Amino acid sequence: MSTTADSSKELHKTLTISRGVGLAVSMIVGSGLLVLPGLAYASVGSAAVFAWVAAAIMVIPLLLVFSKLGSRYPSAGGVIGFMQAAFGRRVASPVAYVLLGATACGGAAMAITGGNYTAVLLGMPDAVFPATLAYLAVVAVLNALGSRLAGGVQTVVTALLVLLIAVVAAVPFVTPGFEMQGSVSLPVNWLDLLPAVGLVFFAFTGWELVASTTEEYHDPRRDLPLVLAASFVVIVVLYVGIATAVQVSLDPNDPMVRQAPVAAVLKQVFGAAAGTAAAVLGALIVFATLMGGTWATSRIIFATARERLLPARLTVCNRVNGAPVAAIVVAVLMFGTVVVLHGVEVLTLDQVFRLSAVNFIIGYAMSALAYGTLFRGPRNWLLVVLACAPVVVLLIGFGWMLLYPLGLLIAGSVVHVLTAEKDPVPVAAPPAD
């Protein structure tokens, strides 16, 4: 860590459109891609691929919200910056803590999943915990070496990941003698797709993390909409491709459909080596996701500290490479704390995932409300309704887990009161649409 004399409090503007797309894709595409296509298929049968299309359509209003907010109000805090612009520090402070709670559990879930895949590759099923810690250490070092290097690594890894996923999606259609076990067909009743749509919608979460990269573009107004549009197209093509491959390759009653559908598709080509191939793909997906998640979390920590809600030391960046090293260390320590709680069986992996999801969904809803405040008019309010509708429905299913974000909201409000300046922070005036 550089001394204050050799450091600054400004993030370097190193993100290009290509690096931004690589970062965005890696933040969205998670290990759920290896399981969710099978779960949706088992749920609604041969029409399941259309659940992925429907979920993609549902997320478009949220993308439009993040695109416009991020273009007009670029901030390392992402959602925090949007809330600050719309409602001031009083509301932004508790939301900042909700996002930190989301990323703590989300990063830990990715690290644990990566440790599982790595242990499988090494043939050491008892080595999940040390493999998880090794995952975190490598990701921390790469992020600390600077956004230019980390972004370059991210672009290369994401390109390789996209290529591998595309290969898996193409397997049933290019392999000679490949036997089709299933099919794709239109749903008899489109309402029957709703359970599967709710299930696969989680594969499209993560855009609030992408919003935290906006401060590092040279021209966010030009670059961010292009990055979001390009990454969305890539992600939808990959998801629909994998879902189609699973459906035409497997019988919906095959037990592997629910457990490891991608591995089952690969088994028809690679045989006994399919497990290793799936583990390699899974480890690569998790590595890319955790790299992007650590990047985003450190920026959220950086922005939260800049609002005096965390120690000021966390706003210091390395002057040479622009990395907020202290914030990166804290991000990894947050992940590690939740990993330890999982290791001592305080939290199950499912609970870790769900605790992350409930906070992120609240972040979505708050972003939509900020959009409605900053951009007035019937057309914009309609977009807010379309963006909020799916996330409100999803929140209902979390039950007692809603206590977690509630506790974080209270903590953030207390910290706001303790650190507030005498002069109120003005709310940004709505810009011309």
Side-chain angles (χ1 to χ4, degrees), residues 155-170:
T155 301
V156 172
V157 170
T158 304
L160 179 60
L161 175 61
V162 169
L163 177 62
L164 289 176
I165 295 175
V167 168
V168 174

Side-chain angles (χ1 to χ4, degrees), residues 255-327:
M256 288 293 285
V257 167
R258 290 184 176 274
Q259 299 170 5
V262 173
V265 173
L266 293 173
K267 186 176 182 180
Q268 297 194 38
V269 179
F270 297 108
T276 301
V280 169
L281 180 60
L284 189 61
I285 288 175
V286 174
F287 176 78
T289 305
L290 190 57
M291 274 287 292
T294 304
W295 180 320
T297 302
S298 66
R299 272 52 175 183
I300 293 172
I301 292 171
F302 172 90
T304 304
R306 196 162 55 185
E307 295 299 324
R308 308 182 311 282
L309 299 169
L310 289 173
R313 182 63 175 169
L314 299 178
T315 64
V316 177
C317 300
N318 182 288
R319 185 176 294 278
V320 176
N321 61 32
V325 180

Side-chain angles (χ1 to χ4, degrees), residues 32-113:
L33 180 63
L34 302 178
V35 179
L36 289 176
L39 294 178
Y41 183 33
S43 174
V44 296
S46 59
V49 69
F50 294 100
W52 291 88
V53 176
I57 293 172
M58 287 174 61
V59 85
I60 289 175
L62 282 170
L63 281 182
L64 295 174
V65 165
F66 282 120
S67 177
K68 197 165 184 178
L69 285 173
S71 298
R72 302 292 182 91
Y73 301 99
S75 165
V79 174
I80 302 169
F82 306 156
M83 301 306 295
Q84 175 81 10
F87 305 112
R89 189 176 186 269
R90 183 185 301 276
V91 177
S93 299
V95 173
Y97 274 60
V98 169
L99 286 180
L100 290 173
T103 57
C105 291
M110 285 296 100
I112 295 166
T113 305

